Amino acid sequence: MKRVWLALALIGLNLPNYADAQESAIEEFAVSGIRVIYKPIAANEVIAVRLYLTGGSANLTPETAGIERFIADVAPRGTDSYTKEELATRLASTGTQINAQATFDFTVVTLQAIAGHWDTAWDLFTQTVLHPTFPEAEVELARQQIVNQLRSRQDNPDAYLNLLANDLFYSGHAYANDPTGAVEAVEGLTREDLMRWHRERMTKENLVFVVVGHVSREDLAEKIASAFGALPAEGGTSHPASSVEAGPPDLEIVERELPTNYIRGQFSTPAPGHPDYPAMRVATDILRDRLFEEVRTKRNLSYAVTAGLSSRQANYGMIYVTAVEPDTTLKVMLHEVDRMAHEPVSPERLRENISEFVTRYWIGQETNMGQAASLGSSELVAGSWEHAIQFAEAVQEVTPQDVQRVVSEYINNIHFVVLGDPTKIDRTLFTSR
């Protein structure tokens, strides 16, 4: 598979020219005081819209964790102009898709439409975003569905492990407020709470539009001004997440009778807008490959092992494994971390990894929605949409010394969570780095 990706990188994309074309077409402007990032595309008939509500977990409390996810789930179930059934029928008949997601750094509502149905799709979108009626029965149904989903996480070892790891690593931080919800919070939120939150947070200062597709700037600006221009300019102000200070190495063990032990370790890393982020991205990709080779392929200690890097304002990297013999397995994993910190990766291996990553990065932006997502997350998390264009170039400039340096600097003070057998865990080993 590695050779396949490398071949694609060498023969597929003329990356510098592609990046130049991406950047030259993008415009940034304001409509009625709302920020808009716009990229016209005439090569296809798709229009991708992403409306970001800034803030994320930093605007939540333990009592409101999940409220924006709750609102997003209920919004399409009835609006001023459409019942749930009418809205669903019109979406299906026009090939329009409206979705939403609440994340740690923002909530986003997305619209994907065909140019031929653009006017109808925009009306459905604005009704969903601006004019939900929050029918009581639908609120209760959505509440039950969300609570069931949240409770089911404890039945899935990986989902529960991720939840525990987030709680441990972000203890005392805004990200401890899970944007997907907490059972107690969702059970306590009322219809009036949802309506009030929607009204207070839906202000111009909290909104960012990213639009990529077959639509003119004039038409887009007119539609945004008409639908959103009457919103209050300020109110419900969003708050950026502070950096995370995770403290010294830590370990939490949750006993479970399982055929294997689930292990996840998280450590503080630079955020996407930081100069070290490209090198950290390359380093965790290389570490992932080395762990797979040493732990799974050579030693057959685990079927599931990986390393990764998130993309949050208060960021983390992680290593993960399921293992019957956790101590033996972790020693191998930490040895690979130490080896990367003390031995520079070969230029050939580095080039191969970077070529694979950059190819995957641009392939992920082949669709209009993929490009809009990259621009939007870069604007809100990295500080500028231009980061989406510059990132691939920055990755290609990473050196073996950069990789060695960021591994030494950042893969420390690891916070481990273990789901499994406590008698198989050497606490000293798990808190050694």
Side-chain angles (χ1 to χ4, degrees):
M1 178 59 73
K2 181 75 73 174
R3 291 176 181 174
V4 171
W5 278 112
L6 183 57
L8 286 171
L10 293 174
I11 68 176
L13 294 173
N14 186 333
L15 294 175
N17 290 342
Y18 184 59
D20 290 343
Q22 290 271 311
E23 184 172 16
S24 63
I26 300 168
E27 300 179 58
E28 182 179 358
F29 53 91
V31 176
S32 300
I34 300 173
R35 284 185 290 163
V36 180
I37 299 165
Y38 163 68
K39 180 182 178 182
I41 290 181
N44 61 63
E45 294 295 306
V46 177
I47 302 171
V49 178
R50 298 179 72 87
L51 176 58
Y52 290 88
L53 181 63
T54 61
S57 291
N59 276 55
L60 301 177
T61 67
E63 292 73 31
T64 59
I67 189 169
E68 291 184 4
R69 182 261 180 97
F70 199 167
I71 291 171
D73 280 10
V74 177
R77 305 186 188 204
T79 73
D80 285 350
S81 297
Y82 304 107
T83 65
K84 178 175 69 172
E85 292 75 19
E86 289 170 341
L87 188 67
T89 298
R90 289 176 181 265
L91 289 170
S93 66
T94 57
T96 301
Q97 298 177 24
I98 297 176
N99 295 293
Q101 181 185 16
T103 77
F104 288 90
D105 291 312
F106 52 77
T107 295
V108 59
V109 185
T110 68
L111 165 67
Q112 183 163 290
I114 304 301
H117 295 294
W118 170 233
D119 290 344
T120 299
W122 179 258
D123 178 58
L124 299 174
F125 175 74
T126 56
Q127 279 289 314
T128 301
V129 171
L130 295 174
H131 306 294
T133 54
F134 300 99
E136 189 70 53
E138 296 297 339
V139 169
E140 294 309 314
L141 178 58
R143 185 198 314 279
Q144 180 181 358
Q145 292 168 338
I146 294 171
V147 168
N148 288 342
Q149 185 272 326
L150 293 174
R151 284 178 171 154
S152 71
R153 293 187 295 188
Q154 294 195 22
D155 299 326
N156 181 305
D158 277 320
Y160 190 37
L161 183 72
N162 292 349
L163 184 65
L164 292 169
N166 190 82
D167 289 345
L168 177 65
F169 187 75
Y170 288 113
S171 177
H173 188 271
Y175 285 177
N177 299 315
D178 189 343
T180 63
V183 171
E184 297 79 5
V186 173
E187 287 182 332
L189 292 169
T190 66
R191 176 176 182 267
E192 289 68 30
D193 292 331
L194 303 187
M195 296 172 66
R196 181 174 57 254
W197 188 275
H198 178 269
R199 182 176 61 253
E200 293 176 353
R201 291 276 285 137
M202 195 60 64
T203 63
K204 295 176 182 178
E205 68 169 329
N206 294 328
L207 300 180
V208 179
F209 270 102
V210 181
V211 181
V212 176
H214 195 81
V215 59
S216 71
R217 170 173 170 164
E218 293 73 22
D219 183 38
L220 176 64
E222 181 182 348
K223 279 181 165 57
I224 293 175
S226 177
F228 293 83
L231 288 176
E234 299 177 344
T237 307
S238 64
H239 305 283
S242 62
S243 59
V244 59
E245 298 180 6
D250 202 355
L251 170 65
E252 180 179 348
I253 306 172
V254 177
E255 185 171 3
R256 280 284 182 89
E257 290 188 12
L258 296 167
T260 187
N261 297 277
Y262 289 76
I263 301 165
R264 183 181 176 98
Q266 294 187 184
F267 47 90
S268 297
T269 60
H274 193 283
D276 283 343
Y277 184 78
M280 198 70 219
R281 170 58 67 189
V282 173
T284 51
D285 275 11
I286 293 173
L287 179 59
R288 176 201 63 204
D289 292 345
R290 287 192 173 186
L291 293 180
F292 186 91
E293 182 178 347
E294 291 295 327
V295 174
R296 176 174 173 173
T297 304
K298 289 185 177 180
R299 303 171 191 264
N300 198 29
L301 289 170
S302 173
Y303 181 79
V305 60
T306 194
L309 180 65
S310 70
S311 300
R312 300 177 180 177
Q313 289 178 339
N315 213 23
Y316 73 87
M318 69 90 179
I319 56 176
Y320 162 90
V321 71
T322 63
V324 176
E325 299 297 335
D327 290 353
T328 301
T329 305
L330 186 62
K331 286 177 182 177
V332 174
M333 296 173 71
L334 294 181
H335 174 74
E336 289 305 308
V337 174
D338 289 336
R339 190 158 72 91
M340 286 185 64
H342 294 96
E343 302 173 10
V345 63
S346 71
E348 295 77 17
R349 181 69 177 269
L350 181 64
R351 278 296 104 198
E352 182 179 347
N353 178 272
I354 289 176
S355 295
E356 175 191 342
F357 174 81
V358 172
T359 301
R360 282 190 284 111
Y361 180 76
W362 288 121
I363 287 177
Q365 297 188 46
E366 285 186 323
T367 66
N368 294 4
M369 189 61 77
Q371 293 179 46
S374 180
L375 292 169
S377 62
S378 293
E379 177 71 17
L380 271 70
V381 179
S384 171
W385 61 263
E386 294 175 320
H387 177 80
I389 310 301
Q390 299 162 352
F391 181 56
E393 181 178 348
V395 167
Q396 292 178 89
E397 294 176 354
V398 171
T399 68
Q401 291 72 33
D402 291 332
V403 172
Q404 191 174 355
R405 176 180 58 80
V406 296
V407 170
S408 297
E409 183 173 349
Y410 295 109
I411 308 185
N412 296 294
N413 297 321
I414 304 175
H415 286 49
F416 278 104
V417 171
V418 178
L419 195 61
D421 185 354
T423 65
K424 292 191 172 183
I425 304 302
D426 181 349
R427 180 172 289 271
T428 301
L429 172 65
F430 274 76
T431 57
S432 64
R433 188 179 180 89

